[in-house]
Amino acid sequence: MMKKQIVTVLVILILLPGWGVAQDKLPVPRTPDSWVNDYANLFSAAEVSGLDQKLNGFEYRNSTQIFVVTIDNNQGYPASMLAPMIGEEWGVGEKGKDNGIVVLVDMQERDVYIATGYGNEEFVTDALAKRIVENEIIPNFKNGEYFAGID
């Protein structure tokens, strides 16, 4: 039994530094610029401003924080893994409520993923998030209408 515990501790000690390095390599800054973080330059300044105001009002009315993130280099992370990592890094959602949402647009892989905090899962289930991506976002993106897809 003691041998198993030693092996477990050694594995944790070996993997922990590597995980920390991976966290350092997120393809976004450590803190968000605003509600809309358009690192792939998909939106005009007016679109960013309008969407920012809309998301700020949404958070004011019901406390749910929604961040939009666009990237053109995912540094090897799939969107389904990267979106929650960004949410965690940025502290998206109110502390204790875990009511944040990250909408990630990965232009490198042509992928979109919606990550929801546990506090929003009853309202935005994984199935609903997938339907939003497939039925609302992707059709607009296919027409080159990135803002319409996210708005």
Side-chain angles (χ1 to χ4, degrees):
M1 187 66 138
M2 183 71 156
K3 189 175 184 179
K4 186 177 180 182
Q5 291 171 334
I6 291 172
V7 169
T8 301
V9 169
L10 287 174
V11 167
I12 289 171
L13 290 174
I14 290 169
L15 293 179
L16 194 58
W19 186 79
V21 169
Q23 288 290 88
D24 290 341
K25 294 183 180 179
L26 288 179
V28 296
R30 291 244 177 237
T31 57
D33 297 326
S34 63
W35 300 107
V36 181
N37 300 272
D38 184 21
Y39 305 117
N41 297 312
L42 298 180
F43 312 127
S44 71
E47 290 169 337
V48 169
S49 178
L51 190 52
D52 232 22
Q53 288 177 9
K54 183 183 283 189
L55 295 174
N56 188 54
F58 188 78
E59 193 267 344
Y60 179 77
R61 285 189 305 281
N62 70 21
S63 80
T64 295
Q65 296 180 349
I66 301 174
F67 284 81
V68 174
V69 182
T70 71
I71 58 171
D72 55 11
N73 180 351
N74 61 29
Q75 296 195 9
Y77 292 105
S80 61
M81 183 178 172
L82 187 54
M85 289 170 66
I86 292 170
E88 190 68 31
E89 177 71 27
W90 288 356
V92 174
E94 286 188 7
K95 196 170 189 95
K97 289 187 176 182
D98 199 15
N99 60 343
I101 296 175
V102 174
V103 179
L104 177 65
V105 178
D106 177 355
M107 294 304 291
Q108 181 178 351
E109 292 297 322
R110 300 281 192 222
D111 197 6
V112 179
Y113 189 81
I114 299 174
T116 60
Y118 292 121
N120 280 331
E121 283 187 336
E122 68 181 283
F123 307 110
V124 182
T125 63
D126 289 341
L128 178 59
K130 184 174 178 159
R131 281 197 309 272
I132 291 169
V133 169
E134 290 176 352
N135 299 331
E136 303 296 328
I137 297 174
I138 298 298
N140 281 296
F141 279 22
K142 285 183 177 179
N143 292 327
E145 298 173 5
Y146 298 109
F147 179 72
I150 296 299
D151 188 47

